[in-house]
Amino acid sequence: LAQTSPKAVPPLHQASSPKIIALTFDDGPRPWVLKGNSEAGHASASLLDLLDREGAKATFFVMAWRLAPAADKDCREIDTGITCRQAAEAEHRRGHEIENHTYGHGNFRVMQKRYGEDWILNDIDRASRTIQPITGVKPQYLRPPDWEIWPELAQRIEARGYHIMGKSTTVPIVLRDVDSEDYFCVGKDLSKCPQPSLHDYVLRTIEQRERKGVFDHILVFHEIPNSVEVLSRLIPDLKKRGYTFVTLAEYMTVEKPS
């Protein structure tokens, strides 16, 4: 039988790490962001090097189709010399966690109408089967594309052993995804990009949670160059405020979801 949970992680003690952040990234792996590149219009510092320098561990929710050989051409459109699968292997090798963002990244409502719920469940399991050879374990956490989910489907997914990540106010605030909204800060239309800056928006959001007595956060970013630049300032700022960056599995050993 396949393992159904990540390798055991050492417990984090609130006394030594009272403020923790699970830094997560969706929609990868994107080698040109993880490894970095200098191509005009797509230039990015290396996200993995940044995390190493800051001693920060992260969790990557990958679109598993990128790990298949058929994706190699797309993955090397901005060529950094490695495929998406090799980039994911580098994530794992450097001590980061890889979790499930489905195989095809289809919106669940759209996929349900087009193919039915069983197709969605199969797509999730297909992603896990693709990820597991890289990590050695079956992914335990699922983040639905666009956070689209409904109770009946959630029950069926949870019955398969997954913890569903979401933004719903029905879950405890410490288990709720904190959306950076970094995806509004790419492309030609930047009208929805948080103002005065993405960096300030994330800090304000954390400060608002702190005023509610919440000092643990699950931050959601995407593998895009702008987010690497923002995080190069944000991670040091949050460390100065006493935060430690951990994987999602480590975070959950502290929060112990029911």
Side-chain angles (χ1 to χ4, degrees), residues 200-231:
D200 291 345
Y201 173 74
V202 175
L203 282 182
R204 285 200 315 271
T205 302
I206 289 175
E207 288 167 355
Q208 290 168 0
R209 289 167 61 90
E210 288 178 337
R211 285 194 287 271
K212 297 176 182 177
V214 180
F215 296 94
D216 296 345
H217 320 282
I218 302 170
L219 293 186
V220 183
F221 282 85
H222 293 74
E223 289 184 30
I224 49 182
N226 180 59
S227 295
V228 181
E229 191 280 324
V230 169
L231 285 165

Side-chain angles (χ1 to χ4, degrees), residues 21 23 25 45-58 94 96 227-246:
I21 289 175
L23 180 61
F25 296 91
S46 166
L47 174 56
L48 290 179
D49 286 354
L50 169 63
L51 295 173
D52 279 353
R53 283 196 307 273
E54 296 295 338
K57 296 305 179 186
R94 295 200 195 191
H96 304 295
S227 295
V228 181
E229 191 280 324
V230 169
L231 285 165
S232 70
R233 293 176 288 119
L234 187 62
I235 293 174
D237 286 348
L238 290 170
K239 286 169 67 176
K240 289 175 184 176
R241 295 179 179 218
Y243 282 101
T244 300
F245 290 83
V246 300

